[in-house]
Amino acid sequence: MLLALLRQYVRPYRWLVAAVMALQTVSTLASLYLPTVNAAIIDDGVAKGDTGLIAELGLVMLAVTGLQVVCAIGAVYFGSRTGMGFGRDLRSAMFHHVTTFSEQETARFGAPSLLTRTTNDVQQIQVLTQMTTTVLVTAPIMCIGGIFMAIHQDAGLSWLLLVSVPVLALSNYWIVTRMLPIFRSMQRLIDGINRVMREQLSGIRVIRAFARESFERDRFAVANVAVSNTALAAGRWQALMLPVTTLTINISSVALIWFGGLRIDSGHMQVGSLIAFLSYFMQILMAVMMATLIVVMLPRASVCAERITEVLGTQPAISNPAAPRRPHGGIRGAVALENATFCYPGAERPVLEGVSLTARPGTTTAIVGSTGSGKSTLISLICRLYDVTGGAVRVDGVDVRDYDTETLWSTLGLVPQRGYLFSGTVAENLALGARPGQPVTEDDMWSALRVAAADDFVRAHPDGLDMRVAQGGINFSGGQRQRLAIARAVIRRPAIYLFDDAFSALDVHTDARVRTTLREASAGATVIIVSQRISTVAHADNIIVIDGGRVVGAGTHDVLLAECETYAEFADSQSVGSSVGGAQ
């Protein structure tokens, strides 16, 4: 999986990679040539007192060193460009793919895990890519070239290479194999700590209201300690690599000097050759150590690649049909559910079963029912956040699964239960409601705010439309958030309005005011309202009563009071009875 990701996302930077490899090759060959020049200076210059040769070879060393430095700087620069570009492209691919997910895929992974995979996991592979382009190219060239040059200096000491290099490589490999399961566990624990932190930040008001700070501190501490202990376990194995590598290099160096000294004493080797052999020996072992550093990063990067590939390989349940239908003259907005049934993945029974209803343009259809009866799920089926598991949902006689999703969504004005606002300004949040390519003027914004009865508090603020909005709109009350969300839906003038309990935070008078202005703004459009407040739905043209996922009544308010026991009990529970029919 890691190789597949690298092949796919490094391909656009193949010329940068080629430049890095070329520069690293020149730099490594230059570093391999220096010990030979140094040996010549000692054996042919210092030993014979030839100062001219020493100066000449010294200039050669200086030139080779300069070339090595220039090539190394260039390799690091291009390697960094490759790594950063790879990380940017992979994060972008992750983000754009996740935005295509339906509610089903989002719930499957969870927001904290998707955040970790898009940031931390990508970063691990990005660092590996950057290190690979700058280090992994150098290591094999230095190792193979060093062996060749060392043998060229003195083949009699080459047996030390046959002992030291395998010992160093095998010991490091054994350590790395112990780290792989630890890193796999570590990424899951990071998901967990992100989940706890996200819940605590989102629910800070609830935590303080119920004085649960100490409980949440303990809960975070458990997740934090788990990550810390796992990181320490991985760190202990990583820490073991340095002494093992250092011990192997030092013992090998001592053995080399010892046996090299014996060969010099017997006249089989010169001092310069021993120093050059020692330099090559150190370069070989350093190459092995550099390769080991890459191998240390490999387990964690492999785990991250698996997690990223899992996301990128997930096909959204909601997708465009192969041949989407595009209605001539646009969508008028007639909505019909035909024996619609829906069951959440893994659920024991359907949430909705055999639901049939019709909502026509120019009318208001209300959906009422007890908590958990499936009202919000029904709205999700109309706007295709989920697909029915049985039956069909049609808009203008066409199954919503046959529409291009962007075309369908552009004709819907959805106001969910939780009127979520994005950080920025009121104007920026309103502009988000516009259809693709729809120009939005300040007059359009103020008009939408008037429909939603939100113009008063926005106009009262010194900044007006430039009034700041905190993340999630937490600097507004619940009613203000709902009214701004309604204005955001109104601004696009959709063919179908979907209000999912969108008036619940409004007082009765504001509710009536918004519905009155909305009736004028939505003339000719299909309006579907989900509500648990009888006063909100009493004047609807058609009221659908849902109980246990089934339609148990349909008609006007007065008809349902007389004929639907469930609706009558629902109305009685709010102490309005039939008198609400004459109230506005």
Side-chain angles (χ1 to χ4, degrees):
M1 291 184 181
L2 178 60
L3 288 176
L5 279 179
L6 291 175
R7 278 198 303 268
Q8 180 177 355
Y9 290 97
V10 174
R11 187 178 294 116
Y13 305 98
R14 56 186 178 275
W15 296 113
L16 288 179
V17 174
V20 171
M21 295 180 68
L23 291 170
Q24 286 285 49
T25 300
V26 174
S27 176
T28 305
L29 291 176
S31 66
L32 288 172
Y33 181 61
L34 289 174
T36 299
V37 178
N38 189 43
I41 291 176
I42 295 174
D43 293 337
D44 300 331
V46 175
K48 298 178 180 179
D50 190 344
T51 56
L53 182 61
I54 294 175
E56 181 182 345
L57 293 178
L59 291 175
V60 172
M61 286 189 70
L62 186 61
V64 172
T65 302
L67 177 65
Q68 179 189 8
V69 170
V70 170
C71 290
I73 293 174
V76 171
Y77 173 76
F78 290 121
S80 298
R81 289 287 300 271
T82 301
M84 293 299 133
F86 167 85
R88 178 197 60 206
D89 294 348
L90 185 54
R91 276 192 299 272
S92 177
M94 285 280 289
F95 173 79
H96 286 95
H97 189 67
V98 168
T99 56
T100 66
F101 281 178
S102 67
E103 296 282 349
Q104 181 178 332
E105 290 81 38
T106 304
R108 170 189 161 192
F109 289 104
S113 181
L114 289 174
L115 287 172
T116 304
R117 295 174 195 236
T118 308
T119 54
N120 184 273
D121 288 11
V122 172
Q123 184 180 10
Q124 298 301 325
I125 305 178
Q126 176 182 318
V127 172
L128 176 68
T129 304
Q130 188 172 346
M131 291 293 292
T132 300
T133 55
T134 55
V135 175
L136 198 60
V137 176
T138 303
I141 298 175
M142 186 174 289
C143 187
I144 297 172
I147 291 173
F148 176 79
M149 297 298 289
I151 293 175
H152 177 71
Q153 287 293 328
D154 192 291
L157 293 175
S158 59
W159 63 271
L160 285 170
L161 298 172
L162 298 176
V163 176
S164 302
V165 174
V167 167
L168 184 60
L170 290 174
S171 61
N172 286 333
Y173 174 77
W174 178 75
I175 294 173
V176 168
T177 56
R178 297 297 185 275
M179 294 168 63
L180 183 60
I182 298 176
F183 282 132
R184 182 173 285 110
S185 173
M186 183 122 180
Q187 295 307 116
R188 288 195 298 268
L189 291 172
I190 292 175
D191 287 348
I193 200 169
N194 280 345
R195 183 177 298 108
V196 172
M197 177 67 78
R198 183 183 176 89
E199 290 175 354
Q200 290 176 345
L201 292 175
S202 301
I204 188 67
R205 293 184 178 182
V206 178
I207 294 170
R208 289 175 178 171
F210 289 93
R212 301 292 286 174
E213 290 91 345
S214 59
F215 173 81
E216 291 298 329
R217 277 196 294 268
D218 294 340
R219 184 164 166 249
F220 180 80
V222 170
N224 194 26
V225 168
V227 173
S228 175
N229 290 340
T230 306
L232 286 173
R236 292 188 193 101
W237 283 106
Q238 281 183 310
L240 185 61
M241 296 187 71
L242 182 59
V244 168
T245 302
T246 304
L247 181 64
T248 304
I249 291 176
N250 289 341
I251 291 176
S252 301
S253 300
V254 170
L256 177 62
I257 293 173
W258 174 269
F259 290 108
L262 294 178
R263 290 182 64 78
I264 292 174
D265 187 57
S266 62
H268 293 96
M269 190 178 190
Q270 293 181 311
V271 175
S273 296
L274 176 60
I275 294 176
F277 194 98
L278 181 60
S279 297
Y280 288 126
F281 191 72
M282 294 299 293
Q283 285 182 340
I284 294 167
L285 294 182
M286 288 301 294
V288 174
M289 190 171 71
M290 284 192 296
T292 302
L293 290 176
I294 298 296
V295 174
V296 168
M297 301 169 65
L298 195 60
R300 189 170 187 179
S302 297
V303 173
C304 294
E306 292 175 8
R307 288 158 52 88
I308 290 172
T309 303
E310 185 183 7
V311 174
L312 293 176
T314 299
Q315 293 300 318
I318 307 298
S319 59
N320 280 326
R325 297 182 61 176
R326 300 180 182 274
H328 297 291
I331 296 177
R332 295 183 302 277
V335 177
L337 274 72
E338 300 175 357
N339 200 31
T341 299
F342 178 75
C343 183
Y344 284 102
E348 295 181 356
R349 59 181 297 274
V351 178
L352 294 172
E353 190 171 1
V355 174
S356 296
L357 63 88
T358 300
R360 296 181 177 85
T363 65
T364 298
T365 301
I367 302 171
V368 299
S370 59
T371 301
S373 60
K375 304 184 300 298
S376 295
T377 301
L378 193 149
I379 294 293
S380 298
L381 295 179
I382 295 173
C383 57
R384 215 189 165 204
L385 296 180
Y386 292 101
D387 277 340
V388 291
T389 51
V393 178
R394 301 185 186 279
V395 173
D396 289 348
V398 178
D399 195 311
V400 293
R401 290 169 290 190
D402 294 331
Y403 278 111
D404 175 78
T405 53
E406 294 297 331
T407 300
L408 176 65
W409 291 335
S410 66
T411 62
L412 300 174
L414 173 64
V415 184
Q417 283 178 307
R418 181 171 176 242
Y420 189 89
L421 301 178
F422 296 88
S423 56
T425 65
V426 170
E428 290 170 348
N429 273 272
L430 293 177
L432 286 173
R435 294 188 304 274
Q438 176 189 355
V440 177
T441 64
E442 287 194 8
D443 290 339
D444 294 331
M445 294 182 184
W446 284 117
S447 177
L449 289 172
R450 279 191 295 271
V451 171
D455 57 324
D456 51 356
F457 69 84
V458 174
R459 200 181 297 277
H461 194 276
D463 295 330
L465 291 173
D466 293 326
M467 181 180 180
R468 299 301 303 174
V469 179
Q471 185 178 10
I474 59 173
N475 57 328
F476 293 99
S477 68
Q480 288 174 329
R481 283 199 299 270
Q482 281 194 340
R483 282 182 279 172
L484 288 174
I486 292 170
R488 184 172 57 195
V490 167
I491 205 167
R492 68 167 46 188
R493 304 296 180 186
I496 303 170
Y497 286 88
L498 301 173
F499 297 98
D500 186 5
D501 210 11
F503 305 95
S504 58
L506 306 183
D507 60 80
V508 176
H509 297 293
T510 305
D511 182 346
R513 177 186 167 192
V514 172
R515 284 187 289 108
T516 300
T517 54
L518 185 61
R519 190 177 300 114
E520 299 172 359
S522 63
T526 302
V527 179
I528 300 177
I529 299 175
V530 167
S531 179
Q532 297 193 43
R533 183 187 291 172
I534 292 296
S535 61
T536 301
V537 304
H539 296 277
D541 299 293
N542 189 29
I543 302 174
I544 308 296
V545 184
I546 296 181
D547 186 29
R550 292 178 175 274
V551 175
V552 295
T556 62
H557 172 74
D558 293 331
V559 170
L560 289 172
L561 281 177
E563 299 179 0
C564 181
E565 182 180 352
T566 302
Y567 185 81
E569 292 176 355
F570 192 67
D572 288 340
S573 68
Q574 298 186 31
S575 303
V576 291
S578 59
S579 62
V580 76
Q584 177 66 31

